[in-house]
Amino acid sequence: MIKKLIKSVLFMGALLAGPMFSNAQSMYGDQVKADVKVKYVHSLEEAMAVAKKENKLIFFNCFADWAMPCHSMNKVVFSDQEFGDFLNNNFVNLILDLSHRENIPIKDKYKVRFFAHYLVLDRDGNVVHRIAGGSPLPDFKNKVARALSPKTSLAGMEKEYAKGKRTVQFLSEYYKVVSDAGYTEVAEEVRDLYVSKIPKADMAKAENWKMFTSMIDDVDSEWFAYFKKNKALFIKHNGDKKVKDYAAMLYMRAVMPFMSSTVGYSPDKMASYMNDAKYFELEPENNFYIYHTLASKRNQGNLADYVSYLEKNIATIHPTFAVGVDLSLKNIVNVTADEQKVITEYLTRRMSDMQGSSLEQYQTAIKEIKRENGIIFEQGEFAETLKKAKAENKLIFFDAYTTWCGPCKIMAQQVFTQDLIGEYFNKTFVNYKMDMESGEGPKWAKDFKISAYPTFLLVNGDGELVHKIVGAHPPKEFVDLINKGLNPETAYANVKNQYDMGNRDAKLVANYLDAMKITGEVRDIDIFLEKYYAALTPDQKSPEKIWPLIERYSADINNKYWNAIINDKSAIGKLMTDSSFINKVESVYGLHIYNAIAKNEKGEQYEKAKKDLSNFSLADNSLLSNLLIVDQLKMKANYTEIVDFYLKNVADMKDLKGKTNMDLLWKYMIASCTDDQKKEVLSYLKEQHASAGPRAVNSYKNLLDAVM
């Protein structure tokens, strides 16, 4: 059912899309330019066609312009001539920007959850291999090369594992493959099997280092205690430097939260980390000691001393974390004017050689420290904010964040700092933000049942939840979602309460699903709707009553609630005056007729679509009526009449989006035309391209490129 929904979205949306990917200017400008040596195609259909012709696999670069790791791979890996030759000789190479709206169905189909991300597909588009994340050469080449053999590819090894293969050597190699694919749960299962088959002491061997370290989350884990106790054995197999570097890394990671005050300071833990550093005999120049000193100074109250020491030693800190430590300065509360000056001057010096997104982050931090624009958040205890909200008769906008949450930072830096956002929120709400893992955070996370970040709440002056949103969103969409909390008909707490009390009105349930979907509390909407419909009384199932729900959430011509309308001609007659119903019918049925014309897909869905549409009085020259006519003419291979029909009818369609979709069918039909017919079609398409609006012009350009 989900696949059908995705196809429906593709039909009504992606057909109007522009190029899947181009070498257009990146959002980061020239700083990410790279001399890429890989020869790419830019559509999945083209990649599959070439792969079939050349009998090759498809290397799929799942790109996202906003993701810096993708650009880093372009500079470091895909610009390497030898590696480029390797890919060009062995694969058909595909690149799509999966952050573009038209490519979201492909992103979802292949379960690409983060970037950088790479797939190897067979010629039918099935996943052969997956690599989640980039890495330098030659490591990345070795990972890709595994796809060339069923003995080492993800798909091939999955089959062997499913058959019961459990040799130690196989498990060792399979672990590497599923780890590279980002299949954490499977990797842990395979790792645990492997560990159970070898002597515990063998985990200290060099070939097991990656697997062993994957079992250690932090310095408090059980396996780290084993590592610490058997230090000499690990040094024997892996060398003194590797063991020391790993221990130092874990202890630096342990003190990092104290460096940026993201957790409450613990003198006892800091003392134990120092003792352990001596046990591992870390050299005095080891960066751990700088991290430890920074953590101590950050929590001793002398902010100027901390900033001075930070600036002196910032070069010793990993660049990514250094940025995090710098930006955490904006979270220090109750700073004096002098301290504010110290912080802003330091950040100004730090960003002097920066550009692009890094520069913007620092500029945003300084603005937040100076509180020049954007949302102004209250300081101090949450109880004080509750009192203020009650006194002003306002709701509290509550930003529930964590320090490690990337989307939280995106919202804080790119959304909350905008002038219009700040103007609206500062006028409408009392604003408060809280680290949910520090101070009061864990208590309120439990009270408000927060389990994912970022989470945004609207809370009244009595501390009662009114509305809830999970996840990062663009500014306009975010404001629209927040505003739902100001309307009792759509506010999360109200609709949830009404639903829990037994209200099954279709409009209420549609609003309930909207609210639950945005919080992730209802994950499988199709199953929910099936259960909902089955529990309705006959009167509640009347088409007019359930239409508000079907309009938003039904895209399957076989489900019960859709057929309840289609089989009721009286209901159809009433609903045909509703433009939302007509649009839904086109969305649900158009795909099946369209695919029959384009790809000769004429199975049960196609036959049912034609049967159902016989119940409708379709408007002349509408998208569906024209699709049905072209379908009939194409079955007769009467291309003379098809061309004539386009010139006399399709060209005059008032539904411009529908007309563009009709015209795109020529990509699949023009090959069957005579030379004279092709000339007429090309002339017609050029005219449509010349008169197309801005949203369709790229579609016509791509179409002409494909058919000429």
Side-chain angles (χ1 to χ4, degrees):
M1 196 171 291
I2 295 296
K3 290 180 179 177
K4 293 170 186 171
L5 176 60
I6 290 173
K7 287 181 179 178
S8 180
V9 171
L10 274 170
F11 172 70
M12 299 311 297
L15 290 176
L16 289 176
M20 289 289 203
F21 178 88
S22 68
N23 294 319
Q25 181 69 36
S26 166
M27 65 185 290
Y28 298 108
D30 291 344
Q31 67 169 314
V32 296
K33 276 189 175 180
D35 184 18
V36 174
K37 305 299 184 184
V38 183
K39 297 176 182 177
Y40 286 115
V41 298
H42 303 291
S43 79
L44 181 58
E45 293 78 9
E46 181 182 0
M48 291 167 63
V50 176
K52 289 175 182 178
K53 181 179 179 181
E54 298 183 2
N55 194 29
K56 288 183 177 180
L57 295 172
I58 301 166
F59 175 79
F60 183 2
N61 184 341
C62 305
F63 190 83
D65 184 48
W66 58 262
M68 285 303 295
C70 294
H71 292 292
S72 297
M73 287 292 287
N74 276 347
K75 286 188 173 184
V76 176
V77 174
F78 297 117
S79 295
D80 182 89
Q81 186 65 62
E82 182 181 349
F83 182 64
D85 292 342
F86 166 75
L87 287 182
N88 297 333
N89 292 333
N90 290 282
F91 301 92
V92 175
N93 301 301
L94 166 67
I95 188 168
L96 296 176
D97 191 329
L98 297 190
S99 65
H100 285 183
R101 185 175 180 180
E102 66 268 20
N103 292 327
I104 295 300
I106 296 176
K107 173 178 173 288
D108 292 342
K109 174 183 177 180
Y110 288 113
K111 300 178 180 179
V112 178
R113 300 289 181 252
F114 55 87
F115 302 93
H117 206 106
Y118 308 94
L119 298 171
V120 176
L121 311 176
D122 66 18
R123 60 185 186 177
D124 296 316
N126 301 308
V127 176
V128 172
H129 204 60
R130 183 186 299 268
I131 304 170
S135 59
L137 296 172
D139 181 59
F140 188 73
K141 179 181 178 181
N142 293 336
K143 291 178 179 179
V144 175
R146 287 178 174 273
L148 296 172
S149 170
K151 292 182 179 180
T152 54
S153 71
L154 174 64
M157 298 191 83
E158 281 179 331
K159 289 179 182 178
E160 292 300 308
Y161 188 73
K163 291 177 183 178
K165 190 170 184 178
R166 298 292 189 274
T167 65
V168 168
Q169 182 61 31
F170 174 81
L171 291 173
S172 177
E173 294 303 312
Y174 188 42
Y175 171 78
K176 297 173 186 175
V177 169
V178 291
S179 294
D180 291 342
Y183 293 172
T184 304
E185 291 184 5
V186 179
E188 289 176 354
E189 175 186 305
V190 174
R191 180 194 67 198
D192 292 345
L193 277 170
Y194 177 81
V195 171
S196 71
K197 288 177 174 285
I198 65 170
K200 192 173 184 178
D202 282 0
M203 289 305 296
K205 291 183 176 179
E207 62 265 28
N208 294 324
W209 177 263
K210 182 179 178 181
M211 191 182 298
F212 175 76
T213 54
S214 75
M215 297 189 291
I216 299 175
D217 295 321
D218 51 48
V219 294
D220 296 320
S221 70
E222 180 182 344
W223 279 104
F224 184 73
Y226 178 79
F227 173 76
K228 184 176 172 182
K229 181 179 179 180
N230 294 276
K231 179 183 69 170
L233 183 62
F234 281 91
I235 290 174
K236 175 184 176 182
H237 289 292
N238 300 278
D240 184 68
K241 183 178 185 305
K242 193 169 189 177
V243 169
K244 286 184 177 181
D245 286 349
Y246 181 66
M249 181 272 293
L250 285 177
Y251 286 113
M252 284 190 285
R253 186 190 298 172
V255 301
M256 280 178 186
F258 301 138
M259 287 171 62
S260 52
S261 296
T262 55
V263 299
Y265 187 68
S266 172
D268 291 340
K269 285 188 175 181
M270 289 288 286
S272 71
Y273 299 155
M274 181 61 77
N275 289 333
D276 286 350
K278 294 176 180 177
Y279 167 76
F280 277 100
E281 301 178 53
L282 301 185
E283 292 78 3
E285 63 272 17
N286 193 288
N287 286 347
F288 163 77
Y289 296 108
I290 294 175
Y291 279 52
H292 193 277
T293 302
L294 277 167
S296 299
K297 287 181 176 292
R298 177 71 177 251
N299 293 276
Q300 288 172 353
N302 189 334
L303 186 57
D305 185 40
Y306 167 74
V307 172
S308 175
Y309 188 81
L310 175 63
E311 185 166 18
K312 179 182 177 181
N313 294 281
I314 195 70
T316 66
I317 302 174
H318 186 280
T320 301
F321 184 62
V323 170
V325 173
D326 283 347
L327 297 180
S328 75
L329 293 169
K330 68 186 179 184
N331 299 322
I332 300 176
V333 298
N334 301 322
V335 295
T336 66
D338 288 341
E339 289 172 333
Q340 183 187 95
K341 183 180 179 182
V342 168
I343 295 173
T344 55
E345 288 180 350
Y346 161 70
L347 293 178
T348 300
R349 291 192 294 273
R350 280 279 288 149
M351 69 184 193
S352 60
D353 295 326
M354 293 182 181
Q355 57 182 343
S357 61
S358 297
L359 176 61
E360 290 175 6
Q361 284 182 307
Y362 277 73
Q363 290 172 334
T364 299
I366 290 175
K367 287 178 181 179
E368 286 191 35
I369 293 167
K370 293 181 177 180
R371 305 171 73 80
E372 291 178 340
N373 61 3
I375 299 177
I376 298 175
F377 290 95
E378 298 294 317
Q379 303 295 316
E381 298 295 318
F382 185 48
E384 295 303 313
T385 302
L386 289 169
K387 290 179 183 178
K388 181 175 180 179
K390 197 164 190 176
E392 297 182 7
N393 194 28
K394 288 182 178 180
L395 293 176
I396 297 167
F397 168 64
F398 188 114
D399 173 14
Y401 72 94
T402 66
T403 56
W404 49 262
C405 166
C408 299
K409 295 174 184 176
I410 290 174
M411 293 297 290
Q413 296 163 3
Q414 299 180 17
V415 178
F416 298 162
T417 54
Q418 295 190 15
D419 290 336
L420 291 177
I421 294 291
E423 182 181 343
Y424 178 71
F425 277 75
N426 296 335
K427 177 180 67 176
T428 310
F429 307 106
V430 177
N431 305 298
Y432 192 82
K433 61 180 177 180
M434 184 182 292
D435 179 355
M436 306 312 288
E437 296 181 339
S438 179
E440 297 181 89
K443 172 194 178 301
W444 288 107
K446 182 178 180 181
D447 288 351
F448 291 135
K449 299 180 180 178
I450 297 173
S451 59
Y453 298 97
T455 291
F456 307 102
L457 312 174
L458 293 183
V459 180
N460 66 24
D462 293 320
E464 297 169 338
L465 179 63
V466 174
H467 195 51
K468 185 177 185 180
I469 300 168
V470 175
H473 303 274
K476 185 180 183 306
E477 180 183 320
F478 184 67
V479 172
D480 290 341
L481 290 171
I482 282 290
N483 283 340
K484 287 180 180 289
L486 302 180
N487 182 351
E489 291 188 3
T490 53
Y492 166 88
N494 188 49
V495 296
K496 187 176 189 304
N497 182 54
Q498 288 192 54
Y499 183 84
D500 291 344
M501 291 176 65
N503 188 337
R504 293 299 183 267
D505 172 76
K507 185 176 180 181
L508 180 279
V509 173
N511 289 333
Y512 170 79
L513 277 177
D514 283 348
M516 296 303 106
K517 184 175 65 171
I518 205 66
T519 62
E521 293 175 47
V522 171
R523 297 188 180 278
D524 196 322
I525 290 175
D526 293 320
I527 292 176
F528 175 91
L529 289 176
E530 290 287 351
K531 292 179 179 178
Y532 164 76
Y533 186 79
L536 294 179
T537 65
D539 179 62
Q540 290 173 325
K541 290 179 180 177
S542 66
E544 293 89 343
K545 290 185 177 180
I546 64 172
W547 171 244
L549 189 58
I550 294 173
E551 177 191 0
R552 289 192 223 178
Y553 287 108
S554 174
D556 181 6
I557 65 176
N558 291 312
N559 65 38
K560 298 175 183 177
Y561 28 92
W562 181 258
N563 283 316
I565 291 180
I566 300 308
N567 296 325
D568 188 333
K569 292 187 177 181
S570 173
I572 292 176
K574 295 176 183 177
L575 290 170
M576 281 299 285
T577 60
D578 187 337
S579 61
S580 67
F581 180 70
I582 296 171
N583 291 337
K584 192 71 175 182
V585 169
E586 288 185 345
S587 172
V588 170
Y589 289 107
L591 171 71
H592 302 294
I593 309 303
Y594 194 96
N595 282 344
I597 300 169
K599 303 176 184 178
N600 291 316
E601 293 180 1
K602 296 187 176 181
E604 293 181 5
Q605 301 290 327
Y606 166 74
E607 296 298 336
K608 186 176 189 312
K610 288 185 63 178
K611 178 183 176 184
D612 286 355
L613 289 173
S614 66
N615 290 333
F616 291 83
S617 297
L618 299 173
D620 291 339
N621 215 20
S622 65
L623 175 61
L624 278 177
S625 63
N626 287 349
L627 283 172
L628 289 169
I629 291 171
V630 172
D631 180 42
Q632 291 300 311
L633 293 173
K634 185 171 181 287
M635 282 195 288
K636 299 174 184 177
N638 192 338
Y639 287 92
T640 298
E641 286 195 33
I642 293 177
V643 174
D644 189 57
F645 178 75
Y646 266 81
L647 297 176
K648 293 180 179 179
N649 295 81
V650 176
D652 294 329
M653 285 178 67
K654 294 181 180 179
D655 174 9
L656 298 182
K657 183 176 179 180
K659 181 175 77 169
T660 306
N661 280 330
M662 291 293 302
D663 291 343
L664 289 172
L665 282 168
W666 281 115
K667 178 179 179 180
Y668 308 97
M669 298 190 296
I670 198 168
S672 301
C673 293
T674 65
D675 289 342
D676 288 340
Q677 289 168 347
K678 288 178 180 177
K679 289 179 182 178
E680 284 190 275
V681 172
L682 290 174
S683 176
Y684 164 80
L685 292 177
K686 288 176 182 178
E687 289 179 11
Q688 303 312 310
H689 180 217
S691 61
R695 297 184 64 182
V697 67
N698 279 337
S699 295
Y700 280 104
K701 179 182 181 300
N702 294 338
L703 176 60
L704 285 167
D705 289 343
V707 300
M708 290 182 69

